[in-house]
Amino acid sequence: MKKTVLREYARLIVRCGANVQKGQDVLVYADLDQPEFVQMVVEEAYKAKAREVTVLWNYQPLEKVHVRYRSLKTLGTVKEWEKARQQHYCDTLPARIHLISEDPDGLKGMNTQKLAKSRQMIYPILKSYMDQREGKQQWTIAAVPGAAWAKKVFPGMRVSVAMEKLWEAILFTARVTEDPVKAWQEHNANLKARCDYLNNLGIDKLHFTADNGTDLTVGMIPEAIFCGGGETSREGIYFNPNIPTEECFISPKRGQAEGIVYSTKPLSYQGQLIDNFSIRFENGKAVEAKAEVGEELLNTMISMDEGAAYLGECALVPQNSPIAQSGLLFYNTLFDENAACHLALGMGYADTIRDHHNKTLEECRALGINDSMIHEDFMIGCDSMHIDAITRDGRTVTIFHKGNWAF
Ligand code: ZN
Ligand code: ZN
């Protein structure tokens, strides 16, 4: 890929994605796949007047080695210096940039029970720091190609060809055009108009149906609103958490989901695939989960903690979105969730509550925002997806028809 185009993309991530501020620290999380691109992002962050940029490298095969050889006790311990580091981030609020490129099944064969247990041990300690930072930090997730990932998306091609093809797909969906910043402004305005329409309906429930058997009703929180595109941090800084993004999403009311949903794309959870699955809900809780591939892992995911069995997100994405139109299956949630309607199990987004900046996290959760250590999107959208909104004044308004917006 041409360096000038990559430079545009790096600038988009820093300026439009994280919107790095003068004097702000920046954390960049990256795998080892694209060190030169990571360098560009770091440089762009400094050009945006960042104070200090720190790169935290990750390498999936090493993760496997650690989980294999370390005891559960050491994997599940948060050391004092780590706590101090977390507190430092709470005090300094660095912008976070995640550059993902991992192999969708790069952790295949790992002891998932051991990893799940260690995460359950660590989470309560890290949670207090995460809650302190909630809504205050700008963050963005964007993707770069990794060799194994590219081979998975474009099987049968040479690695170099597959990598180039994946770059093209990433840059296309990220709207890296002649003028990416302008393209994003227009895109954000479109998403906002969709959300405004939905928010004016006064939706009480969403009813999802599809030819594959999906028939699910989900209750809404009266105080919650559909959000999409960029958002504003508590510090008043506008940023784009996902590059790309095509969704209008809301956090549903915990405890109100009835019926069954069928997945329409595979889900990569902890580096392993779950495919062709269904989840049945009663009183908001996932009570039965079946999968052709990865059923045990799916059930491990749902039982990570109490909130993992409840919904945290309903997101609407039309089948004619640019990502869906690309016809590619990315095996990566950032892309696949923006190509189809999806739900998420686990943590809900407190910032979908109207006027959330003037409410505490506890107040938002008391309104019905779910809380969990997981937030896992899974795709349910398809060409026959139909969604009716049942409004608080008793009307039924079709908002999705044959997989696309009905308004
Ligand atoms: Zn989503
Ligand atoms: Zn999500």
Side-chain angles (χ1 to χ4, degrees):
M1 188 50 62
K2 268 166 58 185
K3 282 223 165 89
T4 48
V5 179
L6 294 183
R7 178 64 69 174
E8 281 288 328
Y9 183 42
R11 193 176 298 132
L12 181 76
I13 290 168
V14 168
R15 306 264 171 164
C16 197
N19 194 3
V20 172
Q21 301 290 297
K22 190 179 172 194
Q24 189 173 25
D25 289 344
V26 179
L27 297 174
V28 180
Y29 297 84
D31 291 86
L32 300 182
D33 301 290
Q34 299 284 348
E36 285 172 34
F37 184 75
V38 173
Q39 186 188 337
M40 279 186 197
V41 168
V42 171
E43 218 174 320
E44 288 302 320
Y46 281 124
K47 283 188 197 163
K49 305 270 191 310
R51 184 173 67 173
E52 185 182 348
V53 186
T54 306
V55 181
L56 297 152
W57 297 100
N58 183 50
Y59 182 56
Q60 272 182 315
L62 258 187
E63 266 177 71
K64 269 172 104 165
V65 170
H66 284 303
V67 173
R68 182 166 169 197
Y69 289 101
R70 284 170 60 182
S71 68
L72 180 60
K73 188 160 178 274
T74 61
L75 283 171
T77 304
V78 181
K79 295 188 184 69
E80 289 308 313
W81 63 261
E82 177 60 27
K83 291 180 193 166
R85 186 169 76 136
Q86 291 293 330
Q87 189 56 52
H88 175 72
Y89 295 155
C90 294
D91 299 338
T92 55
L93 299 176
R96 290 193 338 244
I97 296 174
H98 298 263
L99 298 173
I100 55 172
S101 57
E102 70 225 25
D103 180 358
D105 36 26
L107 298 180
K108 209 173 171 178
M110 198 181 49
N111 185 339
T112 38
Q113 291 304 328
K114 193 172 171 185
L115 182 69
K117 278 207 187 83
S118 68
R119 292 203 174 161
Q120 285 164 332
M121 288 160 74
I122 286 174
Y123 183 74
I125 300 157
L126 295 186
K127 183 179 161 51
S128 64
Y129 302 103
M130 283 155 65
D131 284 355
Q132 277 186 62
R133 293 196 292 264
E134 166 79 26
K136 292 182 185 167
Q137 257 180 323
Q138 315 103 266
W139 55 279
T140 193
I141 309 178
V144 291
W149 180 26
K151 285 288 282 179
K152 182 92 185 171
V153 182
F154 299 102
M157 287 186 194
R158 274 209 329 258
V159 176
S160 58
V161 179
M163 290 280 272
E164 193 63 11
K165 283 230 165 240
L166 188 52
W167 261 131
E168 281 167 20
I170 289 170
L171 295 173
F172 170 71
T173 57
R175 291 181 160 77
V176 180
T177 52
E178 295 274 288
D179 188 348
V181 174
K182 185 161 165 261
W184 272 85
Q185 280 166 351
E186 283 170 11
H187 181 48
N188 277 333
N190 283 338
L191 286 171
K192 189 172 180 301
R194 293 270 177 211
C195 292
D196 287 348
Y197 172 85
L198 293 168
N199 293 331
N200 284 329
L201 289 175
I203 302 173
D204 179 40
K205 287 187 184 113
L206 291 176
H207 183 208
F208 299 82
T209 48
D211 288 350
N212 60 12
T214 287
D215 187 346
L216 180 77
T217 304
V218 183
M220 298 291 114
I221 301 170
E223 293 83 357
I225 51 172
F226 276 91
C227 302
E231 53 186 77
T232 307
S233 74
R234 246 173 225 257
E235 319 289 298
I237 302 159
Y238 188 78
F239 65 102
N240 281 283
N242 287 358
I243 297 177
T245 185
E246 302 289 337
E247 58 174 353
C248 291
F249 67 96
I250 195 164
S251 286
K253 193 165 173 69
R254 182 186 159 116
Q256 290 190 1
E258 295 297 326
I260 190 160
V261 269
Y262 288 83
S263 71
T264 52
K265 285 178 198 289
L267 163 67
S268 174
Y269 176 64
Q270 294 186 346
Q272 307 193 55
L273 288 174
I274 304 169
D275 202 5
N276 288 331
F277 57 97
S278 66
I279 304 175
R280 196 163 59 77
F281 290 88
E282 270 177 28
N283 297 319
K285 191 176 181 186
V287 289
E288 188 180 45
K290 292 180 181 165
E292 279 176 26
V293 179
E295 185 168 293
E296 198 191 330
L297 184 62
L298 177 62
N299 281 295
T300 301
M301 182 180 109
I302 290 171
S303 48
M304 282 302 280
D305 59 15
E306 208 212 322
Y310 291 85
L311 293 173
E313 177 187 352
C314 292
L316 310 181
V317 184
Q319 293 292 107
N320 59 12
S321 88
I323 302 176
Q325 289 295 298
S326 76
L328 294 172
L329 183 58
F330 285 86
Y331 299 95
N332 181 295
T333 298
L334 177 64
F335 292 86
D336 294 333
E337 74 156 332
N338 283 305
C341 286
H342 57 273
L343 302 172
L345 281 166
M347 190 182 65
Y349 294 118
D351 52 12
T352 59
I353 295 293
R354 207 185 287 275
D355 200 26
H356 65 274
H357 286 320
N358 293 317
K359 289 188 170 69
T360 64
L361 197 51
E362 290 68 35
E363 285 169 334
C364 293
R365 286 179 181 152
L367 292 171
I369 298 280
N370 189 32
D371 188 18
S372 169
M373 64 184 287
I374 71 157
H375 174 98
E376 289 298 331
D377 294 289
F378 62 98
M379 284 22 107
I380 62 163
C382 57
D383 288 338
S384 64
M385 176 110 278
H386 185 96
I387 307 171
D388 283 333
I390 295 110
T391 66
R392 283 194 290 279
D393 56 13
R395 291 171 296 143
T396 298
V397 182
T398 298
I399 55 172
F400 247 70
H401 181 62
K402 290 193 174 154
N404 286 306
W405 293 113
F407 59 88

